[in-house]
Amino acid sequence: MTTTAPKETLGFQSEVNQLLDLVINSLYSNREIFLRELISNASDAIEKLRFSALSDEALYEGDAAAGIEVDFDREARTVTLRDTGIGMTREDVIAQLGTIAKSGTKEFFGGLSGDARQDSQLIGQFGVGFYAAFIVADNVTVLSRRAGSAPDTGVRWESDGRGEFTVEACLRSRRGTEVILHLKEDAQEFADAYRLRALVKKYSDHIAVPIAMPAIAPPRDGEETPPARETVNSATALWVRSKQDIPDADYQSFYKHIAHDFEDPMTWVHTKSEGKLEYTTLFFIPARAPFDLFDREAQRGIKLYVQRVFIMDDAEQLLPRYLRFVRGVVDTRDLPLNVSRELLQRNKAIDTIRGASVKKILGLIETLAEGDDYAKFWQPFGRVLKEGIIEDAGNRERVAKLLRFASTQTDQAEPTTALEAYVARMKEGQKAIYFLTAETHATAKSSPHLEVFRARGIEVLLLCEPVDEWVVQQLTEFDGKPLRSVMQGKLELPGDEEPATPAAEVEDSALIAKLKQALEGKVSAVRPSTRLTDSPACLVGDDYDMSVNLQRILRAAGQEVPPARRILEVNERHPLLIRLATEEGEQRFADLAQMLFEQAVLVEGGRLDDPAAFVRRLNTFLTDVVA
Ligand code: ADP
């Protein structure tokens, strides 16, 4: 005998304890999903073995047959699952069934509300996997042996799900894993042939390996004894079947299996291509954002198969990052079975499949956009789709059509305006698509930069998400119309007359000249504004300056951004400016000029360099007023 480690008692990682608490408390009304989760794991383990055996046939130990068995014992109140998969070593068991290794786990638990109903929705997104066993069991035993290892390398894991588990060595003649659930008293309904079968049919029919259960059929004519077991699922990969033969319910349960989601998907697209390349794709858009959607490094949800053999999860070459919310399967004949991640990176077939897949998915989203419920898609995924403008130059125009923004047309914060709709509403002679970027919709909506646009009925898109700054840098035009910030450069609005003298040659009024002097070093220029109708002043940038909003975002992200000096535009018809023009007190003029500048900083959501000085100046004036 090899030296066998003694029985050890170990504690769960704290996140596992949290997950177990949640699973037990939040999923009670959804208890039956435990079986789907465990069958899913068993089928994954079988797929992993099939893949590893491609390069090492010995792993089959002379028996390549693949299958899952579901048994039960009513008296003992147990349900048992057995698989012929890859199995686990002692180290695997400790790591896989004692910790959660997913990225974003800490953030996920930090974000829970404590409300069982709300959290049970979230937990569905997170995926409970193996731990679902504890919804119905008060004690779980796992017996496993890694394929290709000696029988005495078997391992036995056991836990009541309350903080600790034990591991010890055991003999296992068969490779693979056996999970024994000791059902809670109120869960004994699951130790029942009909109930279990119904659950297998309902949730796991599409699983590509046979799931066998004790036979319940009476012996057929001519047979002495009934077969001990029979296969209860259809056991063919769902995507191989032809579309017409697949009811929605099957797509939905397949989605839940691959996405580890509890909810039905929003929509899906299933395509077979039989041209030069032969491949099948099945893509789903979830109904909600996965919990780690904004983690750009998070696992991607596409599984790659070669001729039905599972090759890998998270094959990042299959879809660009901005479609990382899509879940699904790609199966092709045109890759070698031993394809590696490295090989995928420069593979022509993969490039073609990827290109076609992106087009399929964009087509699916276009269909959603034509319907009435596009907000259901846009709300969770719009922010990510916008990254497509930056990431996917080849499909930029198509992605651009799918974008939605808030706009002065509705003045609502909900982004419902499409660029095409904007263009259709453009005023005669309007040359550009105007937008304004700001930190919040409230700041954007009341920006003085919009005044002339409102006065002339010209629509402005209000962009309030950080990613928008990058979107407008890449998307410089749409439908032949340039995108222009209302906060930058000189405006050329429809109906404006060409100035007789070029702006540079117009002499400054005395007021402008005095303001320039007073604000020397604070602004790069002072000029009369064509943007303002109600406000006294605003700040603008030059055409190619970085917007203040972007500067703010970059600073918040810890980057150094040199402060850019901006142009102060003033409304010479405003009473404050008229008053200023006649101000004779030098200090008073300087203070008023300074405040004019400071309020322009404040209205665009900026920060003052010296707020205390601003308040002091303001109070001096207020004291005058109330005196
Ligand atoms: P997930 O399946 O989402 O990774 P689980 O909690 O369900 O999370 O399982 C954790 C890990 O335990 C799996 O990734 C796998 O490595 C291992 N595992 C679970 N069930 C089995 C099984 N039947 N055979 C082999 N390994 C398994």
Side-chain angles (χ1 to χ4, degrees):
M1 277 285 282
T2 47
T3 49
T4 46
K7 180 162 169 172
E8 261 184 287
T9 303
L10 296 163
F12 286 121
Q13 178 200 30
S14 68
E15 282 84 0
V16 174
N17 284 323
Q18 277 177 282
L19 181 62
L20 281 169
D21 264 2
L22 260 174
V23 162
I24 294 163
N25 296 320
S26 315
L27 293 177
Y28 187 83
S29 56
N30 217 344
R31 292 200 296 181
E32 56 188 44
I33 59 108
F34 80 92
L35 191 64
R36 172 186 91 200
E37 299 289 311
L38 296 177
I39 289 178
S40 217
N41 279 348
S43 121
D44 288 351
I46 289 169
E47 290 191 325
K48 278 183 210 159
L49 173 61
R50 205 178 279 162
F51 177 66
S52 299
L54 291 173
S55 52
D56 183 5
E57 179 113 12
L59 292 178
Y60 280 137
E61 303 173 15
D63 179 9
I68 300 171
E69 288 171 8
V70 179
D71 269 336
F72 65 95
D73 182 333
R74 195 189 276 279
E75 306 287 284
R77 220 160 67 207
T78 58
V79 170
T80 301
L81 284 99
R82 254 170 251 116
D83 67 62
T84 57
I86 188 88
M88 289 180 271
T89 64
R90 185 185 181 101
E91 292 71 38
D92 289 340
V93 164
I94 293 173
Q96 312 287 6
L97 308 184
T99 60
I100 310 174
K102 268 186 235 186
S103 69
T105 301
K106 274 227 154 56
E107 293 77 0
F108 171 77
F109 284 102
L112 293 175
S113 67
D115 175 78
R117 265 207 23 231
Q118 238 174 325
D119 290 347
S120 77
Q121 298 279 359
L122 289 172
I123 193 92
Q125 245 83 57
F126 182 78
V128 291
F130 170 75
Y131 302 104
F134 289 96
I135 316 176
V136 293
D138 49 21
N139 193 291
V140 178
T141 309
V142 177
L143 301 156
S144 192
R145 173 167 72 74
R146 182 85 182 173
S149 312
D152 63 3
T153 61
V155 57
R156 175 194 170 94
W157 178 101
E158 194 167 337
S159 177
D160 59 5
R162 296 172 192 214
E164 290 180 337
F165 59 90
T166 60
V167 260
E168 63 190 305
C170 70
L171 275 178
R172 298 285 297 163
S173 56
R174 291 186 8 160
R175 69 163 185 268
T177 303
E178 179 169 337
V179 179
I180 306 165
L181 309 175
H182 305 268
L183 298 176
K184 295 178 187 172
E185 223 175 284
D186 65 359
Q188 56 181 325
E189 58 179 278
F190 293 109
D192 176 89
Y194 292 95
R195 187 74 208 271
L196 286 172
R197 260 166 202 256
L199 291 181
V200 170
K201 279 305 258 184
K202 177 168 172 192
Y203 291 114
S204 309
D205 193 46
H206 57 267
I207 294 280
V209 285
I211 302 172
M213 288 194 61
I216 47 178
R220 280 188 230 150
D221 286 350
E223 277 177 5
E224 298 271 292
T225 45
R229 291 180 189 286
E230 56 193 7
T231 299
V232 294
N233 64 330
S234 352
T236 47
L238 174 112
W239 62 90
V240 176
R241 288 154 59 190
S242 89
K243 262 200 286 206
Q244 296 77 355
D245 303 338
I246 310 178
D248 284 0
D250 286 13
Y251 279 116
Q252 287 161 344
S253 66
F254 180 69
Y255 164 76
K256 288 174 182 162
H257 161 62
I258 58 158
H260 297 281
D261 196 345
F262 286 23
E263 271 182 82
D264 288 337
M266 189 180 302
T267 181
W268 59 85
V269 56
H270 183 186
T271 320
K272 274 195 181 121
S273 166
E274 274 156 0
K276 238 160 85 217
L277 288 180
E278 248 182 75
Y279 60 91
T280 301
T281 55
L282 172 54
F283 296 121
F284 294 92
I285 297 180
R288 294 155 167 269
F291 76 100
D292 54 359
L293 181 61
F294 292 102
D295 177 359
R296 282 175 50 86
E297 305 309 318
Q299 272 226 342
R300 247 68 61 77
I302 306 297
K303 288 177 188 267
L304 175 66
Y305 287 76
V306 172
Q307 299 178 48
R308 326 272 176 270
V309 179
F310 170 74
I311 305 296
M312 66 181 84
D313 266 319
D314 189 29
E316 47 186 280
Q317 287 75 23
L318 293 177
L319 281 184
R321 277 186 197 283
Y322 74 98
L323 297 177
R324 61 185 176 272
F325 54 87
V326 175
R327 301 286 176 259
V329 169
V330 171
D331 188 352
T332 176
R333 292 186 161 277
D334 296 288
L335 285 175
L337 276 165
N338 60 359
V339 67
S340 63
R341 284 187 195 271
E342 293 65 41
L343 211 99
L344 284 185
Q345 266 156 20
R346 42 199 156 74
N347 182 283
K348 280 228 173 74
I350 283 290
D351 289 346
T352 310
I353 295 173
R354 173 185 165 115
S357 298
V358 170
K359 293 203 156 49
K360 277 282 155 223
I361 294 165
L362 291 179
L364 188 62
I365 302 173
E366 280 158 3
T367 315
L368 291 174
E370 284 158 17
D372 302 329
D373 251 356
Y374 190 47
K376 280 222 175 89
F377 169 83
W378 186 255
Q379 202 269 333
F381 304 120
R383 248 160 85 188
V384 177
L385 191 70
K386 281 177 181 173
E387 293 171 15
I389 296 287
I390 302 142
E391 190 182 350
D392 190 356
N395 288 303
R396 188 168 290 154
E397 185 81 11
R398 235 175 131 177
V399 175
K401 286 188 184 165
L402 293 169
L403 304 186
R404 296 294 181 269
F405 301 103
S407 151
T408 53
Q409 171 82 10
T410 65
D411 261 349
Q412 280 162 3
E414 284 71 47
T416 52
T417 300
L419 289 167
E420 279 173 306
Y422 180 103
V423 169
R425 288 194 288 260
M426 276 169 68
K427 288 265 175 295
E428 184 148 342
Q430 181 181 339
K431 296 201 187 81
I433 296 171
Y434 291 101
F435 66 85
L436 179 148
T437 57
E439 188 176 7
T440 64
H441 183 256
T443 313
K445 206 167 78 164
S446 45
S447 166
H449 299 93
L450 294 177
E451 287 173 4
V452 69
F453 292 89
R454 289 205 199 273
R456 301 217 199 157
I458 298 170
E459 183 172 359
V460 178
L461 300 174
L462 306 177
L463 316 186
C464 308
E465 286 179 343
V467 64
D468 291 331
E469 288 286 350
W470 285 271
V471 168
V472 294
Q473 275 177 24
Q474 296 297 325
L475 187 72
T476 48
E477 60 159 62
F478 177 81
D479 195 13
K481 319 277 186 301
L483 270 78
R484 281 269 152 74
S485 165
V486 300
M487 301 176 87
Q488 267 158 284
K490 290 242 152 93
L491 296 181
E492 277 176 68
L493 297 182
D496 277 353
E497 285 162 29
E498 285 286 313
T501 340
E505 288 165 29
V506 179
E507 270 213 22
D508 286 344
S509 66
L511 173 62
I512 299 270
K514 264 180 94 181
L515 280 170
K516 267 189 184 162
Q517 228 176 8
L519 294 172
E520 170 109 57
K522 298 239 152 65
V523 296
S524 63
V526 180
R527 68 185 181 209
S529 182
T530 55
R531 285 169 230 262
L532 301 173
T533 58
D534 304 327
S535 300
C538 68
L539 288 164
V540 300
D542 261 334
D543 274 330
Y544 298 104
D545 283 354
M546 191 189 280
S547 79
V548 265
N549 188 48
L550 180 54
Q551 292 179 28
R552 179 187 58 77
I553 294 168
L554 293 178
R555 284 200 195 99
Q559 294 195 36
E560 285 209 22
V561 185
R565 273 192 286 141
R566 310 190 40 234
I567 302 162
L568 184 74
E569 284 196 358
V570 296
N571 174 3
E572 289 182 285
R573 288 182 303 272
H574 191 277
L576 191 54
L577 277 290
I578 295 171
R579 168 74 185 73
L580 208 50
T582 60
E583 177 58 56
E584 278 169 5
E586 223 164 276
Q587 187 56 47
R588 235 175 126 83
F589 185 91
D591 282 350
L592 277 168
Q594 179 65 28
M595 285 175 71
L596 203 59
F597 166 69
E598 287 169 327
Q599 56 167 271
V601 172
L602 288 176
V603 285
E604 60 183 23
R607 281 161 150 265
L608 299 179
D609 289 339
D610 188 353
F614 169 76
V615 171
R616 236 179 293 124
R617 275 188 292 273
L618 181 64
N619 285 340
T620 313
F621 287 105
L622 289 177
T623 316
D624 273 2
V625 177
V626 289

